[in-house]
Each structure stands twice: as structure tokens, then as C-alpha cells.
């Protein structure tokens, strides 16, 4: 049996692969005529290959030498001249594979080896680097031919340049990556713009956006205000050396931003000469001295209304393609929608803030003997306006009235009702009505408004002379008191129905006292109640917060109010507005005017007893206690006379005047005002008469008395003189 023929080395290793350039190549090796068949090479083949840039090769697998034509060598990057007029030396396989891209060489090696093994065809696309460093792409197609023994002998085929395909593929890959980046950018921009709540937020988000594929050199967001385009925010400009252009541009100006708004279509300018040619009026004053060379003006249109312009500028000339313009136009549409929402939000917020500023006290008046701190925090959601309020009312005699309340609801209607109720309650308190009457009248007032709203309220009158607090509560939270030793506790106050529910409801008064340096805290339920914390737990947390030693002085009280406000603002569960009022009684002051003023309702004669008791306490505090019996008797006569003989309320005012220094006499003056024009007459009553002795007592017991006319009604008064007792002479020493 004859031995099997020896096969040539397969090109798995491609040893000694050498390219020789010749003018024959495949034409001479494979495509020439077959002498046995008599076929000849078609005459049109060579011109057709030349016209299409196709080269041919013949690889002798036994000798590892490839015979290729000149065109094939040029396509493969093999030089035809070594610089001396001769052919360069052959290249071995390793030298040739070194010219290929590292990722493509193993692919070419595997495909050639498989074709040799199977006596089949192979083709490949690979990248190669020419001697000048430029990357090219090559495609080849070959078939392995066998010799008479059936062994692989030659690989013949074609090769052509695919560099254009390489550039096309690279560009396609680049565009695919860029489209992915732009899709991601649109999503991120939409998310960021949706989170922007104010116009400044929208401007900040826009001017910080990294545009993919078209990195800008400058960004400007301008808004249309009163017919002029005004810059809201910009980046890429130094405001000290080169302030942003295109500011305060009239809408009818010959300017690209104005044109974009008038036509509601973007304006793209690719170079500085184009800008100067199209808009000469805007070129010199606004753009000539800037460094930018290309611009895109994007009109911001929302619901058919022009809102402003986005300006994107570039440092170099740039002709934006259709995809760039589509991206910028899409971005302009998103910015316009976000700007429209932000403008509405800003308008609502300004309306709410302005209305709340008008309805709440602009400032707390200075109160001798007291330190106060107030805070209002709107609800975290909605229009940020509600019915919570506070008020501090100076009362006659240096006393102070404290009000904290909450009208049902968190809308403009609730805020309007709150404003009316606050003014009414303040007026009732300033007239001198006692706390129970103030609350009862406020309840009737709210019921008469017929708004469908009710309100909770706490009113407390604090006596500046000795720290007594008279409090009434209408369905509201109890106050908290921090004592001088640092302890804090809820102060129970007897309560009644919320205001506006029952016009005839009565409100009991609770009396408690403060020592100098002690603090009273009044608040609405938004401070202590959230979606996850009930009122009892919230009150306990608030009590622990204010307890403990604290510095003295107004600054310390303000610091405590700030801390309580910050804690409430940081809560994510809060959905109610908050009103907070802090008051600390500093103690009596000798220089403070000594005065007591009370309004006595005509229909409530029982108040006369209460007023007599307060007047007796005041006289004793003022150091003229020996006048207490006389002043109580005479005051009862004047007040009873005013209430019995008129159908209106009476106002009692008692003042103590110190004359001639601390050692001089003190003059106590008591006045009773009414609105009746009927003057009292002094008469002598009979033995069995039950009335008629009032003025006789006043005349007999007072040092002076009289009746004075007023614009409406009259004023009856009397005065008592109190003289300091003389010091006893010292006893003689033995």
C-alpha cells in the first residue's frame, strides 16, 4: 500500500507567509486560460476589477508565498518600493499579522486555517494600520484549491478596500452611543426639571445641564417680563468682565431672541459673520466683544404663550445637524413647561405669603415687663396658607392679651375667616372686656358670619403687676408653662365649644400665676400632631423640649422659638400650618403706670362683683390698701348707676398718680364712662327709699368728684387722696 501523500503545513500557524507583489497575480495563476479546456481569461475582467478597486492574490500554501497584483499590495498596505527603486523584501506572516488590529488578527488566522482544513472558502473584514499611522479596513474573499493529490495547494481570491465602510461603521457606532446618551439626558433633564418648583430652580437646572454631543460654551435662561426679555440666570459668562449679552431686549427689537419669540420658532446661527449679517443692530452692542461663535435661540412657549428664551452658545463655528436641533428644541419645550409650572407656583406662593403677612400681625409691640417671640410656619403642601394665627394685644394698665387660634381648613377661605376673626377678637380685648366676654363675643361674631367654618382658640390675659393669668379656651390645646426651676408642664384650662358652633356658649375662666422669669407657651396643633404622632405624644415631646435651664433675655426666647420652628420644618409627616407664641414675664416694674381698665357688660351685673375684687387687689398692690373699702364702695355706686340708667356697657378706669415724689401724697382717680346723655341728679331720698343715696356717698367720701361730657355720653369720676404716714420720732436715748 502506498504511503499517504504528505500534506502541506496548514496555516494555523502561518509560518513564513510572504507577500510578493507582481503584475500577474491571480490573472496569471488562476484566471488565465486552461490549456486543456481551451478557455481564455475574459477581456473585460481586468478593467472591471480596476474600476471597482479590487485586487487579486494567489497564495502558494506549500511555499507560503502570496503573489498579488499591485492593487492588492496597495490595499493591504504593502509598499511597492523600498525607496531605492526595488521591491521590498518579502514579509513573513508575523510581520503581516502585526499590521492588523489586535482584535482582528486572531479572527483572520482562524478563518484561513478552517478554509485550508476543509478545502473551502473564507472571507474576513479586518483593520490594518499603514506605515503613516492611518487606520484602514480591508475585506478579502478566497477559495482554497487542491493539487492533483487532493491536498491544499493554493488560496486564490480578491481583496478590496473597506475603509469607507469602517468610517461608516465607526460613525454609526458613535451615533448609536450618542443617541443613547441623548435619551438618557432627556430622561435626566425631565426628572430634574419636574423637581424644580420655582423659576430660579428651573434656571439653575437648565444652566447646569451637560448637553451630550454638543457641549456648549455658555447657557442663558431669559424670561419675558413687561414686553422685554430679561436674563434670569447664565453660565459661561463673567459678569465682572463681560456681562451676559441679550439682556433687557424689547420684544420688537431686531434681535434673534426677539425674533424667536415673535415667530415662535428656534433661531440657529452658525458663525459670527452670519450673526453680524443677519442682525447688525444687535451685533455691535451685545455680541461683538464676546468669545462665542455660534448660537441657538430656543423660544419657550407653553399653552400658546411666550414665556422666555433659552440661549445655547458655542465657542467655535458650528452647523447644527437635524438631530442636534431636534434635541435642543425638545429641551426648550421641557424647559417651557417647567417654567410655566414654576411661574404659577411662584405666583401662588407670593399670593399666599402676602396674604398671610397682611392677616398676621406685622410685629409684636414692645411690652414693658414681658418678652415675647412668635412664629408662623405654613403647611408643607398645598397653597401654604391656612387659618392658624397668633396675636399679642396691649391692654390698659400695661397688661397683655395673648391669642392663639386655628380656623378650620387650609385654604384662602380659611385665611380670610381667620383675618376677620382676629380683628374682631383683638377689638373686643382692646375694649377692656374680660376674657370670658371676649371669647363669647368672638364666638357670636363667627356664627353671624355664617361661613361654615369653626375655630379653636385660646385667649389669656396676663397681669403685668403680679403675673396673674386669666385664660379661656374654646376647643384649643392647653398652654404649657415653664417654671423658674426649669420644669415644664401642661397648664389645664377649662374649655368650651369651638368658636362659631354655639353663639350662646359660655367660657369659664381659669386663673393661674407666673413667677418672674417663667414662660408661657401657646401653639396650634400643627406643632404637636403629625400623621405618625398623636397630640398626647406631641405635647409630651414639646414639654421635654422647653424644659430645663435656659438663658434669660429676649435673645434666648427667640433662639428657643427658632429651635422649635426648625424641628417642625424638618418633619416630613407635617401637613398642617403652625402658629407659636412664647411669653416670659420678667416681673413688675415700679416705673410702669398703675392703671386698671375693665369693660362691664350691661347684661351681666355679676361682673360688678368681679371688678370690685380686681380693684381691691390692685389698690393693695399699689400701696394704698387703706383706701380699698372706700374705693370699692364708691366704684360700685358709679358702675351700678351707669348700668341701671343706660342700656349700654360701662368702662371702668382706675389710675394711681404719685405726686411730689415717693414721699408725697398719692391720688387715686376712678372713672366710669357710659354712652348715655342723661346726667345724674343729686337728690335727698326719703326714709323708706331704696335708692338715691349713691351720689351723696360719693360726695361725702371722696376728695373730689364730677361729671364730664364726652363726644358720646359722659364720664363720672371721683378721686381719693392717700398721704404717707409720718415717721415716728425716735425715742430719746437714756
Amino acid at each position: 500500500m502506498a504511503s499517504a501523500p504528505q500534506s502541506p503545513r496548514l496555516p494555523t500557524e502561518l509560518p513564513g507567509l510572504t507577500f510578493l507583489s507582481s503584475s500577474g497575480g491571480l490573472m496569471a495563476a488562476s484566471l488565465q486560460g486552461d490549456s486543456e479546456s481551451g478557455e481564455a481569461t475574459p477581456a473585460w475582467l481586468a478593467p472591471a476589477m480596476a474600476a471597482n478597486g479590487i485586487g487579486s492574490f494567489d497564495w502558494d500554501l506549500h511555499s507560503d508565498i502570496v503573489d498579488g497584483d499591485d492593487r492588492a499590495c496597495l490595499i493591504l498596505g504593502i509598499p511597492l518600493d523600498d525607496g531605492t527603486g526595488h521591491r521590498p523584501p518579502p514579509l513573513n506572516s508575523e510581520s503581516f499579522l502585526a499590521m492588523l488590529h489586535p482584535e482582528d488578527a486572531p479572527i483572520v488566522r482562524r478563518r484561513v486555517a478552517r478554509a485550508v482544513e476543509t478545502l473551502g472558502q473564507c472571507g474576513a473584514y479586518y483593520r490594518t494600520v499603514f506605515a503613516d499611522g492611518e487606520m484602514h479596513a480591508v475585506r478579502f474573499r478566497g477559495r482554497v484549491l487542491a493539487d492533483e493529490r487532493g491536498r491544499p495547494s493554493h488560496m486564490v481570491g480578491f481583496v478590496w478596500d473597506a475603509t469607507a465602510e469602517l468610517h461608516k461603521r465607526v460613525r454609526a457606532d458613535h451615533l448609536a452611543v450618542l443617541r443613547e446618551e441623548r435619551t438618557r439626558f432627556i430622561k435626566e433633564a425631565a426628572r430634574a426639571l419636574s423637581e424644580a418648583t420655582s423659576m430660579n430652580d428651573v434656571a439653575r437646572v437648565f444652566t447646569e445641564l451637560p448637553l451630550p454631543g454638543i457641549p456648549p460654551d455658555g447657557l442663558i435662561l431669559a424670561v419675558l417680563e413687561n414686553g422685554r426679555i430679561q436674563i434670569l440666570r447664565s453660565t459661561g459668562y463673567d459678569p465682572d468682565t463681560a456681562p451676559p449679552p441679550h439682556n433687557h431686549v424689547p420684544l420688537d427689537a431686531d434681535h434673534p431672541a426677539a425674533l424667536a419669540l415673535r415667530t415662535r420658532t428656534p433661531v440657529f446661527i452658525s458663525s459670527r459673520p452670519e450673526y453680524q449679517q443677519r442682525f447688525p443692530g444687535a451685533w455691535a452692542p451685545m455680541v461683538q466683544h464676546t468669545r462665542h461663535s455660534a448660537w441657538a435661540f430656543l423660544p419657550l412657549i407653553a399653552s400658546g404663550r411666550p414665556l422666555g428664551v433659552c440661549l445655547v452658545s458655542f465657542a467655535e463655528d458650528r452647523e447644527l445637524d437635524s438631530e442636534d436641533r431636534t434635541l435642543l428644541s425638545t429641551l426648550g419645550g421641557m424647559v417651557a413647561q417647567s417654567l410655566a409650572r414654576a411661574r404659577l407656583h411662584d405666583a401662588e406662593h407670593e399670593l399666599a405669603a402676602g396674604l398671610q403677612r397682611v392677616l398676621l400681625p406685622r410685629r409684636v409691640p414692645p411690652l414693658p415687663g414681658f418678652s415675647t417671640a412668635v412664629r408662623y410656619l405654613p403647611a408643607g403642601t398645598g397653597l401654604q396658607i391656612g387659618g392658624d394665627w397668633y396675636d399679642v394685644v396691649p391692654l390698659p394698665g400695661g397688661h397683655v392679651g395673648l391669642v392663639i387660634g386655628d380656623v378650620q381648613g387650609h385654604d384662602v377661605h380659611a385665611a380670610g375667616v381667620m383675618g376677620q376673626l382676629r380683628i374682631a377678637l383683638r377689638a373686643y380685648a382692646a375694649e377692656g372686656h374680660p376674657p370670658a366676654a371676649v371669647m363669647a363675643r368672638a364666638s357670636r361674631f363667627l356664627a353671624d358670619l355664617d361661613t361654615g367654618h369653626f375655630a379653636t382658640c385660646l385667649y389669656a390675659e396676663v397681669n403685668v403687676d403680679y403675673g396673674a393669668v386669666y385664660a379661656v379656651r374654646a376647643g384649643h390645646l392647653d398652654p404649657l408653662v415653664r417654671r423658674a426651676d426649669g420644669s415644664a408642664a401642661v397648664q389645664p384650662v377649662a374649655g368650651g365649644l369651638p368658636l362659631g358652633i354655639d353663639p350662646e356658649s359660655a367660657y369659664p375662666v381659669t386663673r393661674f400665676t407666673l413667677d418672674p422669669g417663667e414662660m408661657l407657651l401657646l401653639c396650634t396643633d400643627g406643632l404637636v400632631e403629625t400623621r405618625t404622632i398623636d397630640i398626647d405624644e406631641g405635647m409630651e415631646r414639646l414639654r421635654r423640649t422647653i424644659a430645663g435651664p435656659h438663658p434669660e433675655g429676649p435673645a434666648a426666647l427667640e433662639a428657643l422659638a427658632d429651635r422649635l420652628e426648625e424641628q417642625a420644618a424638618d418633619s416630613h409627616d407635617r401637613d398642617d400650618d403652625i402658629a407659636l407664641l412664647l411669653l416670659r414675664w420678667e416681673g413688675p416694674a415700679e416705673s410702669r403706670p398703675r392703671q386698671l381698665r375693665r369693660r362691664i357688660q350691661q347684661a351681666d351685673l355679676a361682673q360688678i362683683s368681679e371688678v370690685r375684687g380686681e380693684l381691691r387687689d390692685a389698690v393693695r398692690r399699689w400701696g394704698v390698701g387703706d383706701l380699698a373699702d372706700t374705693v370699692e364702695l364708691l366704684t360700685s355706686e358709679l358702675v351700678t348707676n351707669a348700668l341701671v340708667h343706660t342700656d349700654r356697657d360701662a368702662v371702668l378706669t382706675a389710675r394711681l398718680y404719685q405726686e411730689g415724689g415717693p414721699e408725697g401724697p398719692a391720688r387715686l382717680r376712678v372713672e366710669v364712662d357710659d354712652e348715655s346723655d342723661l346726667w345724674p341728679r343729686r337728690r335727698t331720698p326719703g326714709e323708706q327709699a331704696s335708692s338715691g343715696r349713691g351720689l351723696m356717698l360719693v360726695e361725702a367720701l371722696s376728695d373730689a368728684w364730677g361729671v364730664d361730657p364726652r363726644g358720646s355720653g359722659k364720664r363720672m369720676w371721683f378721686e381719693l387722696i392717700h398721704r404717707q404716714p409720718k415717721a415716728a420720732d425716735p425715742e430719746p436715748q437714756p
Side-chain angles (χ1 to χ4, degrees):
M1 181 180 294
S3 59
Q6 184 178 3
S7 299
R9 288 180 294 177
L10 298 177
T12 303
E13 301 176 358
L14 298 180
L17 176 61
T18 304
F19 286 92
L20 295 177
S21 61
S22 67
S23 60
L26 182 59
M27 297 296 293
S30 176
L31 298 180
Q32 61 186 2
D34 190 335
S35 59
E36 297 181 357
S37 64
E39 296 179 357
T41 302
W44 49 264
L45 181 58
M49 294 176 61
N52 289 278
I54 299 175
S56 61
F57 68 90
D58 179 10
W59 176 12
D60 187 343
L61 297 177
H62 292 289
S63 62
D64 289 327
I65 295 178
V66 173
D67 185 12
D69 60 12
D70 292 349
R71 194 175 299 109
C73 292
L74 293 176
I75 292 171
L76 295 173
I78 302 173
L80 301 178
D81 191 342
D82 61 358
T84 63
H86 299 85
R87 294 287 181 179
L91 297 175
N92 58 37
S93 59
E94 295 301 326
S95 299
F96 171 72
L97 291 175
M99 298 172 57
L100 275 61
H101 193 282
E103 296 178 358
D104 299 340
I107 298 175
V108 174
R109 185 191 297 272
R110 288 195 303 269
R111 293 186 180 181
V112 171
R114 185 166 57 249
V116 172
E117 289 179 1
T118 60
L119 294 177
Q121 301 182 64
C122 72
Y125 167 92
Y126 66 85
R127 293 161 290 178
T128 181
V129 180
F130 281 16
D132 58 1
E134 184 179 357
M135 180 176 289
H136 287 248
V138 178
R139 284 189 180 274
F140 76 88
R141 188 74 181 176
R143 174 184 291 275
V144 177
L145 304 178
D147 58 12
E148 65 278 2
R149 297 182 180 182
R151 297 179 303 176
S153 173
H154 289 265
M155 176 180 282
V156 296
F158 301 99
V159 61
W160 64 92
D161 186 85
T163 303
E165 296 180 26
L166 172 63
H167 292 165
K168 184 177 180 180
R169 176 176 296 182
V170 171
R171 176 169 175 78
D173 293 341
H174 172 72
L175 291 178
V177 173
L178 184 58
R179 289 192 184 100
E180 183 179 355
E181 291 179 353
R182 288 178 172 176
T183 301
R184 189 184 310 114
F185 164 78
I186 290 296
K187 293 180 179 179
E188 294 177 354
R191 178 191 57 79
L193 289 171
S194 66
E195 294 175 354
T197 57
S198 66
M199 294 178 63
N200 287 329
D201 291 338
V202 174
R204 175 185 54 78
V205 170
F206 170 73
T207 54
E208 293 177 357
L209 288 175
L211 295 175
I214 48 174
D217 190 53
L219 292 169
I220 293 178
L221 180 62
V223 295
L224 184 62
E225 295 287 350
N226 300 322
R228 302 183 72 87
I229 302 172
Q230 302 181 20
I231 292 177
L232 190 60
R233 187 182 176 97
S234 66
T235 58
Y237 297 87
D238 185 355
D240 297 329
T241 59
H246 319 294
N247 199 13
H248 300 288
V249 177
L251 192 57
D252 58 352
D254 183 21
H255 190 280
L259 177 63
L261 278 179
R262 290 197 303 269
T263 61
R264 303 187 179 186
T265 57
V267 175
F268 300 99
I269 303 175
S270 60
S271 65
R272 294 173 69 87
E274 180 184 353
Y275 195 118
Q276 185 176 9
Q277 179 182 5
R278 294 179 60 183
F279 304 97
W283 167 256
M286 296 186 180
V287 185
Q288 183 176 5
H289 302 292
T290 66
R291 65 176 185 272
H292 306 288
S293 299
W295 299 264
F297 294 86
L298 312 173
L300 303 179
I301 309 297
S303 302
R305 296 179 54 194
L307 302 179
V309 176
C310 289
L311 170 59
V312 183
S313 56
F314 305 93
E316 299 177 353
D317 293 357
R318 188 182 190 94
E319 186 71 39
L320 298 174
D321 58 25
S322 60
E323 292 192 359
D324 294 337
R325 297 188 178 193
T326 300
L327 174 66
L328 291 175
S329 299
T330 302
L331 177 61
M334 292 192 304
V335 173
Q337 295 299 324
S338 182
L339 192 64
R341 292 193 303 270
R343 175 172 287 186
L344 179 60
H345 174 273
D346 288 349
E348 291 178 346
H349 184 272
E350 181 60 28
L351 171 64
L355 181 58
Q356 203 74 49
R357 285 193 300 267
V358 171
L359 297 179
L360 292 176
R362 295 184 58 186
R363 64 182 183 88
V364 176
L367 303 170
F370 297 102
S371 296
T372 58
V374 294
R375 293 292 186 274
Y376 175 80
L377 193 64
T381 58
L383 192 57
Q384 296 190 338
I385 191 172
D388 289 21
W389 89 94
Y390 60 82
D391 206 351
V392 179
V393 186
L395 300 177
H399 301 175
V400 59
L402 306 179
V403 185
I404 198 81
D406 183 1
V407 175
Q408 169 198 13
H410 305 96
D411 52 17
V412 176
H413 191 192
V417 173
M418 176 269 287
Q420 298 179 77
L421 183 58
R422 184 184 78 84
I423 295 172
L425 197 147
R426 182 183 182 92
Y428 295 146
E431 285 179 351
H433 295 287
V438 169
M439 196 67 82
R441 292 192 173 212
S443 182
R444 286 195 294 271
F445 173 81
L446 182 56
D448 292 341
L449 287 179
D450 194 21
T451 63
H453 286 67
F454 65 86
T456 65
C457 185
L458 175 68
Y459 174 70
E461 181 179 322
V462 185
N463 189 300
V464 70
D465 293 318
Y466 56 99
V469 181
Y470 300 87
V472 290
R473 185 169 64 88
H476 202 79
L477 298 175
D478 287 318
L480 279 79
V481 176
R482 190 184 71 201
R483 298 300 180 182
D485 59 1
S487 63
V490 176
Q491 175 62 52
V493 173
L497 293 175
L499 304 180
I501 293 181
D502 182 6
E504 303 303 324
S505 178
Y507 296 93
V509 179
T510 300
R511 183 183 185 278
F512 58 93
T513 59
L514 299 175
D515 289 337
E518 294 185 341
M519 184 190 74
L520 183 65
L521 183 150
L522 283 66
C523 68
T524 56
D525 55 0
L527 184 63
V528 295
E529 184 181 26
T530 66
R531 290 189 295 268
T532 59
I533 300 176
D534 59 26
I535 289 182
D536 293 337
E537 181 182 355
M539 290 290 284
E540 176 59 23
R541 292 176 57 178
L542 181 61
R543 186 197 66 79
R544 292 196 301 265
T545 300
I546 67 173
H550 290 271
E552 297 183 359
L557 204 63
E558 292 288 343
L560 177 59
D562 289 339
R563 183 151 61 94
L564 295 174
E565 181 182 20
E566 291 172 1
Q567 292 176 356
D570 292 339
S571 174
H572 299 289
D573 297 326
R574 182 179 62 85
D575 53 6
D576 196 1
D577 47 343
I578 293 172
L580 171 67
L581 193 158
L582 301 175
L583 177 136
R584 182 171 55 217
W585 182 50
E586 308 295 352
E590 295 300 330
S591 60
R592 191 176 301 117
R594 298 178 179 183
Q595 175 177 292
L596 176 67
R597 183 181 177 87
R598 287 290 182 268
R599 174 176 288 271
I600 305 171
Q601 298 182 59
Q602 199 276 338
D604 190 2
L605 298 180
Q607 276 190 284
I608 299 177
S609 176
E610 298 178 7
V611 171
R612 285 204 308 262
E614 290 189 33
L615 183 58
R616 177 181 289 274
D617 290 341
V619 169
R620 290 174 178 173
R621 290 195 311 272
W622 296 344
V624 290
D626 53 347
L627 299 179
D629 294 338
T630 304
V631 73
E632 183 178 354
L633 175 61
L634 301 185
T635 299
S636 298
E637 293 295 336
L638 294 188
V639 171
T640 303
N641 183 75
L643 295 180
V644 170
H645 297 288
T646 67
D647 57 353
R648 302 294 180 87
D649 297 347
V651 178
L652 168 70
T653 305
R655 297 185 183 91
L656 182 68
Y657 300 92
Q658 193 71 42
E659 299 176 349
E663 302 300 329
R667 180 165 53 92
L668 178 63
R669 181 182 176 95
V670 177
E671 302 170 348
V672 177
D673 296 349
D674 62 61
E675 298 182 6
S676 172
D677 295 328
L678 181 63
W679 283 56
R681 291 185 302 106
R682 179 181 178 277
R683 64 181 184 273
T684 303
E687 294 183 0
Q688 303 299 322
S690 59
S691 63
R693 299 182 177 87
L695 291 184
M696 295 179 62
L697 290 174
V698 173
E699 182 180 17
L701 299 179
S702 65
D703 294 298
W705 75 281
V707 181
D708 298 332
R710 300 175 65 238
S712 174
K714 62 183 180 297
R715 171 175 295 165
M716 299 181 62
W717 57 271
F718 68 86
E719 292 182 353
L720 298 175
I721 305 299
H722 179 271
R723 293 175 174 80
Q724 298 292 340
K726 296 183 179 180
D729 295 333
E731 297 182 359
Q733 297 295 328

